């Protein structure tokens, strides 16, 4: 649909500038509109979608880019000398920008989110784990390129296969929660795209999504997503981060059987214990949907 729309706009612009009689008009116009609507426009849509979804904002942005493309096309077609050079430069810019925007799409989207306030909320994770008690009351679990500190009440489970290690938390002999550690590599979608997908999934399950995204430190950004049922009970907590240095991510997925203070405190301690190590960016990580 996008290609058909672009082709229509290029043809209309070609007729509009027909009197200029440039033999390279269609090439120049096509390159300008290609950059605008295949490279720039998708990121504009993404920016609006993660910040303030609005049909009005989309319409205004589309009109602005259209007018800007027409104006730039008109100015380039009007150049009387070096017409072939202008056409070659326009086409070259189109190819370079298209390839770059496709190759670095996720990186660009993450940068847009970082620099437009997507992670501007306050860190909601308050409870740190106590380093002094880690030797006798906690143990370390290393998964891919990160490690976490877990209370001794967490017990490792392997019944779902070698790639699906998970933990169960039992207090007074009763099952209280489950932890599913996951990771993502550099090929994953931008973090806001993942968050939106999870929020949509939560809504499909007729639950409320409580999402807070924040900056954890200079290079790490994170989101906490809580699934809350109709009784206002938290049924699931996901913590997902983005390490901009390694372009890898961590996900801790907690399934809750109760909302006792001790359990919510332990979950925050586990999250705050995450230590990211320098790992292999191409490591084999589970897709976020595999545990849904």
């Amino acid at each position: 649909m996008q290609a058909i729309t672009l082709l229509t706009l290029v043809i209309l612009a070609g007729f509009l500038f027909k009197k200029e009689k440039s033999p390279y008009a269609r090439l120049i116009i096509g390159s300008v509109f290609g950059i605008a609507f295949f490279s720039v426009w998708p990121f504009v849509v993404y920016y609006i979608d993660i910040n303030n979804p609005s049909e009005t904002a989309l319409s205004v942005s589309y009109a602005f880019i259209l007018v800007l493309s027409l104006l730039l096309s008109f100015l380039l077609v009007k150049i009387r000398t070096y017409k072939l050079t202008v056409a070659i430069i326009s086409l070259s810019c189109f190819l370079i920008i298209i390839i770059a925007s496709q190759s670095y799409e996720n990186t660009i989207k993450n940068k847009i989110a970082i620099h437009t306030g997507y992670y501007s909320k306050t860190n909601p994770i308050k409870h740190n784990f106590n380093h002094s008690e880690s030797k006798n009351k906690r143990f370390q679990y290393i998964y891919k390129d990160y490690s976490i500190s877990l209370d001794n009440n967490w017990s490792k489970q392997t019944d779902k296969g070698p790639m699906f290690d998970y933990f169960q938390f039992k207090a007074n002999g009763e099952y209280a929660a489950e932890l599913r550690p996951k990771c993502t590599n550099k090929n994953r979608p931008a973090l806001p795209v993942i968050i939106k997908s999870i929020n949509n999934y939560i809504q499909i399950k007729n639950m409320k999504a409580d999402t807070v995204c924040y900056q954890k430190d200079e290079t790490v950004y994170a989101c906490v997503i809580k699934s809350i049922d109709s009784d206002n009970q938290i049924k699931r907590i996901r913590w997902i981060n983005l390490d901009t240095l390694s372009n890898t991510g961590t996900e801790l997925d907690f399934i809750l059987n109760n909302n006792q203070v001790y359990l919510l405190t332990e979950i925050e301690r586990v999250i705050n214990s995450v230590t990211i190590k320098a790992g292999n960016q191409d490591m084999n990580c589970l897709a976020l949907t595999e545990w849904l």
Side-chain angles (χ1 to χ4, degrees):
M1 187 63 185
Q2 180 80 347
I4 295 174
T5 303
L6 177 61
L7 181 60
T8 303
L9 290 173
V10 171
I11 293 173
L12 291 175
F15 278 112
L16 184 63
F17 302 141
K18 189 175 181 180
K19 64 180 182 179
E20 301 300 330
K21 297 181 180 179
S22 170
Y24 307 108
R26 287 189 177 87
L27 181 59
I28 294 172
I29 296 169
S31 297
V32 171
F33 274 78
I35 292 171
F37 289 96
F38 280 150
S39 291
V40 177
W41 175 245
F43 292 117
V44 172
V45 173
Y46 167 77
Y47 166 76
I48 294 173
D49 190 45
I50 66 172
N51 286 283
N52 186 24
S54 165
E55 290 296 329
T56 302
L58 283 173
S59 299
V60 171
S61 300
Y62 195 92
F64 176 78
I65 292 177
L66 176 59
V67 171
L68 192 63
S69 300
L70 286 170
L71 179 60
L72 183 57
S73 297
F74 176 74
L75 293 175
L76 291 175
V77 172
K78 284 278 289 183
I79 297 176
R80 300 296 183 184
T81 56
Y82 307 110
K83 292 182 179 180
L84 177 59
T85 302
V86 172
I88 292 174
I89 292 175
S90 299
L91 180 60
S92 299
C93 288
F94 167 71
L95 294 174
I96 292 171
I97 293 174
I98 284 292
I99 293 172
S101 63
Q102 293 294 320
S103 301
Y104 299 99
E105 178 184 357
N106 293 332
T107 301
I108 295 171
K109 285 183 175 180
N110 280 323
K111 292 292 184 183
I112 290 173
I114 289 171
H115 295 293
T116 56
Y118 185 81
Y119 302 101
S120 61
K121 294 183 179 178
T122 303
N123 185 346
I125 309 300
K126 305 301 181 184
H127 294 90
N128 288 311
F129 77 102
N130 191 340
H131 290 271
S132 63
E133 69 174 11
S134 60
K135 290 184 178 180
N136 55 357
K137 293 185 178 181
R138 308 187 72 84
F139 65 95
Q140 290 291 116
Y141 173 70
I142 299 175
Y143 184 78
K144 303 298 183 180
D145 68 339
Y146 69 90
S147 66
I148 52 177
S149 174
L150 299 172
D151 185 276
N152 287 337
N153 285 319
W154 291 102
S155 59
K156 185 177 179 180
Q157 310 294 316
T158 58
D159 56 282
K160 295 183 180 180
M163 292 184 63
F164 292 87
D165 287 352
Y166 67 102
F167 294 85
Q168 287 186 348
F169 188 94
K170 291 185 178 180
N172 300 321
E174 294 185 358
Y175 167 78
E178 183 173 297
L179 164 60
R180 303 164 177 176
K182 295 174 253 184
C183 68
T184 52
N185 57 28
K186 64 181 180 180
N187 296 318
R188 76 171 184 179
L191 184 52
V193 175
I194 295 173
I195 300 306
K196 182 178 180 180
S197 177
I198 292 175
N199 285 339
N200 289 339
Y201 175 80
I202 293 172
Q203 291 172 5
I204 291 173
K205 293 294 184 179
N206 295 318
M207 289 192 285
K208 182 176 68 174
D210 180 15
T211 303
V212 177
C213 295
Y214 62 97
Q215 183 173 355
K216 188 173 185 290
D217 56 39
E218 290 184 359
T219 62
V220 177
Y221 299 82
C223 293
V224 178
I225 311 101
K226 297 178 181 178
S227 303
I228 303 174
D229 66 12
S230 57
D231 295 325
N232 208 33
Q233 292 292 300
I234 301 172
K235 307 302 290 184
R236 193 169 185 174
I237 297 176
R238 291 178 177 91
W239 182 82
I240 309 175
N241 78 347
L242 166 69
D243 181 358
T244 56
L245 283 181
S246 63
N247 203 21
T248 58
T250 303
E251 183 187 4
L252 301 179
D253 188 359
F254 300 89
I255 310 297
L256 283 67
N257 197 41
N258 67 58
N259 282 190
Q260 297 295 323
V261 174
Y262 74 87
L263 180 59
L264 297 177
T265 300
E266 168 60 14
I267 288 173
E268 291 195 355
R269 286 175 174 170
V270 173
I271 291 173
N272 270 332
S273 74
V274 171
T275 302
I276 300 173
K277 304 178 183 297
N280 178 11
Q281 294 185 23
D282 296 316
M283 60 191 169
N284 183 23
C285 289
L286 296 178
L288 295 178
T289 56
E290 291 198 47
W291 280 94
L292 293 178

